[in-house]
Amino acid sequence: MAEQYDKVIEYISGLISSGELESGSRLPAERAISEELSVSRNSAREALHTLEHMGIMKSVHGSGNYLSDNMSAGMSEMFRFMLLLKQVSKDDVRRFRCDMEKMICRNIIASGRTDLDRIERIFDLDCSEAERDRLFHYELVYTEGNKLWICLMEAISDVYREWITDVLEASDENRKNTLHKLHRAILDALRSGDMERCEEAIDKHYNNRVGGYPLIE
């Protein structure tokens, strides 16, 4: 049974590698896979279910199975279960995001990017502080441009956002202003190419207290 299951996974991987399948493509039906590989329908079904749980595939009722165009959603669920099972902690997630954002900013500075107007415009948006914070950090990773960083940031942010939104919605104006200043400090450091100042602002955002309170309890 395990060999048949592996055979199905390898078959789907091969279709992706050859370019026959891409994001959003419809996968062959269970019966077609079973007949093509001479494996049982149960093995084909189990393999497809595994791909769905991993976020690689999505099932559309009455239509079929499709390769996901949002892999980060599956990664988010994985992170949630890791937290529930206490394999990682909130502090692990916070420190990972902090270190990841430093690397993203380091790459932006190293590339000499000066087109940071999309980040700048976030400061003038009429939205909640939680939404402004979300957009600020998303724009950082999208400006850097590495697709793996983007996928990781989206997956981690889906989990992290649930905590930070509650904190920011309960924050007073002093705390919100402090967070705003830290975002501004990060952007100003990027514009001037000063990684030391940038890391200092990121550390204050993630590691220290904002307005006298920890961002993540």
Side-chain angles (χ1 to χ4, degrees):
M1 180 70 75
E3 290 181 359
Q4 292 188 7
Y5 166 90
D6 291 339
K7 194 174 181 179
V8 175
I9 297 295
E10 290 175 5
Y11 172 66
I12 299 298
S13 298
L15 293 177
I16 296 171
S17 297
S18 68
E20 293 181 59
L21 292 178
E22 55 186 22
S23 294
S25 294
R26 183 177 179 179
L27 275 68
E30 287 178 14
R31 177 177 293 177
I33 293 173
S34 176
E35 293 175 354
E36 174 71 21
L37 303 179
S38 298
V39 301
S40 70
R41 289 281 298 274
N42 284 340
S43 293
R45 185 177 300 114
E46 182 183 350
L48 292 174
H49 283 170
T50 298
L51 293 176
E52 184 174 13
H53 291 320
M54 292 171 65
I56 296 172
M57 183 204 85
K58 58 183 177 182
S59 179
V60 179
H61 183 68
S63 178
N65 300 315
Y66 296 82
L67 279 183
S68 176
D69 54 3
N70 183 17
M71 298 290 184
S72 63
M75 294 175 66
S76 295
E77 290 306 311
M78 178 187 70
F79 288 135
R80 284 192 176 89
F81 275 105
M82 291 174 71
L83 284 160
L84 288 171
L85 294 170
K86 302 188 186 305
Q87 294 180 355
V88 297
S89 66
K90 284 185 177 182
D91 189 58
D92 291 328
V93 175
R94 178 189 58 78
R95 287 188 290 110
F96 179 82
R97 266 200 61 162
C98 178
D99 291 340
M100 181 169 62
E101 201 149 289
K102 287 180 182 178
M103 182 63 72
I104 288 167
C105 289
R106 186 175 293 111
N107 289 348
I108 292 174
I109 289 175
S111 69
R113 294 285 297 271
T114 58
D115 52 333
L116 305 176
D117 291 344
R118 284 177 60 92
I119 302 176
E120 180 73 45
R121 286 196 288 269
I122 292 171
F123 292 94
D124 298 323
L125 292 178
D126 182 17
C127 59
S128 68
E129 198 61 43
E131 178 64 6
R132 195 187 318 279
D133 180 76
R134 183 187 72 81
L135 291 172
F136 178 84
H137 295 286
Y138 270 128
E139 284 299 337
L140 280 180
V141 68
Y142 281 117
T143 295
E144 198 276 344
N146 185 292
K147 291 182 179 179
L148 181 57
W149 285 124
I150 291 171
C151 187
L152 284 171
M153 177 63 88
E154 288 179 343
I156 287 289
S157 292
D158 283 347
V159 177
Y160 194 87
R161 189 59 42 202
E162 296 169 4
W163 311 328
I164 200 68
T165 297
D166 290 341
V167 172
L168 290 175
E169 287 181 350
S171 296
D172 58 22
E173 287 304 311
N174 178 57
R175 191 175 191 184
K176 292 177 181 178
N177 288 337
T178 301
L179 188 62
H180 178 87
K181 290 177 181 177
L182 288 173
H183 286 166
R184 172 59 69 181
I186 293 171
L187 179 58
D188 289 346
L190 287 176
R191 287 194 183 283
S192 63
D194 191 333
M195 191 59 209
E196 184 175 348
R197 281 176 51 210
C198 191
E199 287 193 347
E200 180 181 354
I202 292 171
D203 279 334
K204 286 181 178 179
H205 185 294
Y206 284 103
N207 299 337
N208 294 340
R209 292 172 174 256
V210 174
Y213 301 93
L215 272 175
I216 298 298
E217 304 290 351

